[in-house]
Amino acid sequence: MKKIKITLGFILAHPLAKRHIFKALWRLVTWQIQSAYNPSRFFIKSFIPPVRFYVSKGLTGITGNIYAGLHEFNEMAFLLHFLRDEDTFIDVGANVGAYTILASGVCGATSIALEPVNSTFDILLKNVELNQLNGNVTAVNAAAGSEMGVTRFTSANDTTNHVVAENETITSENIEVKLLTIDSLIQKNIPQLAKIDVEGFESEVLKGMVNTLDADDLKAIIIELNGSGNRYGFNEADIHQNLLNKRFRPHLYDPFKRTLTETETFSTHNTIYCRDMEFVYHRIQTAAKISVLGEMI
């Protein structure tokens, strides 16, 4: 019951779902019934045309898309309005690949998706194959950091799996994963957009992508700065200042109006950092409309 209340709160606060409340609630009810009778089964659900995704009970990184069309509405809509088929997108902390299949399956961009947890990575691969995106997506079973090597990672926390901090208790559910740098992975193929969602390890990821950050081709970064960096002793204000030094500025995106509003600092969830605003504005203003929950955005 607690999870249902949380999901209802999510729907009622979601910028698009609350405009189509009966459709969103119907999707919630039908999914709850469907998944309750088949808790271990994978279902195929429609996403943004023409893509689809695999989902099963408990996969919180993608089930929100069932109810609300786009789980992280502002950020996902920004991606859909910004990317073009000639672009490269890098998804750091891809989970089961929601952002990746939007970038490559809807926008036609080339994607590089990093996901370190084997079980989650397997679903990412299933989503890539389901949408016949093998030629557009390079999936990498690894975590990103400031240097090459290996690290220990949690594996039983769904969307909050993370690099095990020094003061955390080692458990049997921890796994050893490959650690690499974004600069070593990208080399010449600089992305136009990066999404970084690594549960507090963002400081280390950015240290390993200095060349990428310096490249003018990178125009925008969607990054989650929610206080999780504290577990590693990182100050997220330092990340903000680092991005400011690279000429990125934090913005809020309104997909309905296609406007970006600069803010003084980062959000407690995702923040969209942009630079070369003339380029970015041209992209979002000239993008084709997309259908989400029956509404053209």
Side-chain angles (χ1 to χ4, degrees), residues 54 64 133 160 249:
Y54 280 106
L133 297 175
T160 59
R249 295 293 182 270

Side-chain angles (χ1 to χ4, degrees), residues 24 26 65-66 77 105 131 133 174 191 211 217-218 245 266 271 285 294:
W26 176 249
N65 298 299
I66 298 174
N131 293 288
L133 297 175
N174 295 159
N211 294 337
D217 284 348
L218 180 61
N245 293 342
F266 51 89
T271 302
Q285 292 293 330

Side-chain angles (χ1 to χ4, degrees), residues 12-277:
L12 293 172
H14 190 277
L16 184 65
K18 66 184 180 183
R19 291 166 64 138
H20 302 274
I21 190 66
F22 294 112
K23 183 179 290 187
L25 291 175
W26 176 249
R27 288 181 170 208
L28 170 62
V29 170
T30 54
W31 169 245
Q32 291 301 319
I33 294 171
Q34 191 177 44
S35 61
Y37 279 99
N38 300 276
S40 60
R41 177 182 166 185
F42 278 93
F43 297 87
I44 296 174
K45 295 291 184 180
S46 296
F47 204 178
I48 305 302
V51 297
R52 301 173 296 165
F53 58 81
Y54 280 106
V55 62
S56 65
K57 186 178 178 64
L59 282 181
T60 59
I62 203 158
T63 51
N65 298 299
I66 298 174
Y67 328 129
L70 292 172
H71 185 173
E72 296 180 336
F73 179 62
N74 297 335
E75 298 83 6
M76 287 179 161
F78 175 80
L79 176 150
L80 289 166
H81 289 157
F82 175 78
L83 283 177
R84 300 292 188 270
D85 59 6
E86 68 267 24
D87 289 342
T88 297
F89 168 65
I90 185 161
D91 193 352
V92 187
N95 196 256
V96 299
Y99 276 84
T100 290
I101 59 177
L102 290 176
S104 291
V106 180
C107 300
T110 298
S111 292
I112 303 168
L114 284 84
E115 173 52 46
V117 179
N118 292 335
S119 57
T120 310
F121 183 76
D122 289 343
I123 304 171
L124 165 64
L125 292 179
K126 285 168 65 72
N127 280 323
V128 170
E129 291 168 2
L130 173 67
N131 293 288
Q132 299 179 334
L133 297 175
N134 301 74
N136 290 68
V137 176
T138 300
V140 182
N141 190 196
S146 61
E147 58 186 15
M148 310 290 282
V150 295
T151 189
R152 296 197 67 80
F153 218 86
T154 66
S155 65
N157 300 330
D158 192 30
T159 57
T160 59
N161 281 317
H162 56 272
V163 171
V164 177
E166 290 183 0
N167 61 351
E168 285 188 87
T169 302
I170 301 296
T171 73
S172 60
E173 293 173 339
N174 295 159
I175 58 175
E176 191 173 87
V177 303
K178 184 188 298 184
L179 193 66
L180 49 75
T181 68
I182 299 303
D183 281 346
S184 69
L185 182 65
I186 290 177
Q187 297 178 347
K188 296 180 180 180
N189 197 17
I190 302 297
Q192 283 63 50
L193 175 64
K195 188 217 85 181
I196 304 172
D197 183 357
V198 290
E199 300 302 316
F201 212 60
E202 291 81 11
S203 292
E204 290 295 287
V205 171
L206 293 173
K207 287 178 185 176
M209 58 181 292
V210 173
N211 294 337
T212 305
L213 289 173
D214 285 340
D216 289 337
D217 284 348
L218 180 61
K219 306 297 185 184
I221 301 170
I222 301 169
I223 188 168
E224 185 178 47
L225 302 174
N226 61 7
S228 297
N230 292 334
R231 68 163 62 96
Y232 308 106
F234 298 147
N235 183 349
E236 291 174 349
D238 293 338
I239 295 175
H240 174 70
Q241 187 58 53
N242 181 26
L243 293 175
L244 292 181
N245 293 342
K246 302 293 185 180
R247 298 180 288 109
F248 289 98
R249 295 293 182 270
H251 291 82
L252 298 175
Y253 186 54
D254 183 339
F256 301 113
K257 298 178 181 179
R258 299 202 186 193
T259 56
L260 284 159
T261 303
E262 186 172 342
T263 61
E264 290 186 5
T265 189
F266 51 89
S267 155
T268 55
H269 184 45
N270 289 326
T271 302
I272 302 172
Y273 281 85
C274 301
R275 65 183 175 193
D276 193 351
M277 295 307 298

